[in-house]
Amino acid sequence: MAEEKKSFEDNLKDLEDIVTNLENGNVPLEEAMENFKKGISLSKKLEKTLGDAETTVTKIMQKDGSESTLEDKDNEGNE
């Protein structure tokens, strides 16, 4: 059975729980290492999601339906 895709917020909560658990030091070493690996994986997923969101937010639709980034608009006045 495929794992259902979690939301950004759910993944962030899982990462926060892992960090808290590791900071408390109340888990055996083997479990701590597995949690650390899972935390790194979650961190990468969250970073990618944020990067994708940033790219989407910085796009501007032109009147002709084309897209440009905010950076493109900023550079138009400098040429």
Side-chain angles (χ1 to χ4, degrees):
M1 178 181 276
E3 181 180 324
E4 73 177 66
K5 184 172 179 165
K6 289 187 172 185
S7 70
F8 177 86
E9 290 78 10
D10 289 339
N11 283 330
L12 183 58
K13 173 77 171 92
D14 288 348
L15 181 58
E16 289 171 343
D17 291 344
I18 287 170
V19 170
T20 299
N21 202 5
L22 290 173
E23 286 178 341
N24 289 337
N26 297 331
V27 294
L29 179 60
E30 293 81 11
E31 185 179 339
M33 292 304 297
E34 286 301 314
N35 286 341
F36 180 77
K37 289 178 191 176
K38 184 178 179 185
I40 294 296
S41 177
L42 285 170
S43 176
K44 288 179 181 179
K45 284 181 188 177
L46 292 168
E47 187 174 357
K48 182 182 180 328
T49 301
L50 286 175
D52 292 347
E54 181 180 21
T55 299
T56 300
V57 168
T58 58
K59 288 185 179 179
I60 300 172
M61 292 298 290
Q62 301 299 311
K63 288 181 182 178
D64 66 0
S66 64
E67 294 179 351
S68 67
T69 63
L70 289 176
E71 292 148 358
D72 292 343
K73 292 296 265 183
D74 291 342
N75 290 333
E76 282 179 5
N78 297 334
E79 296 176 358

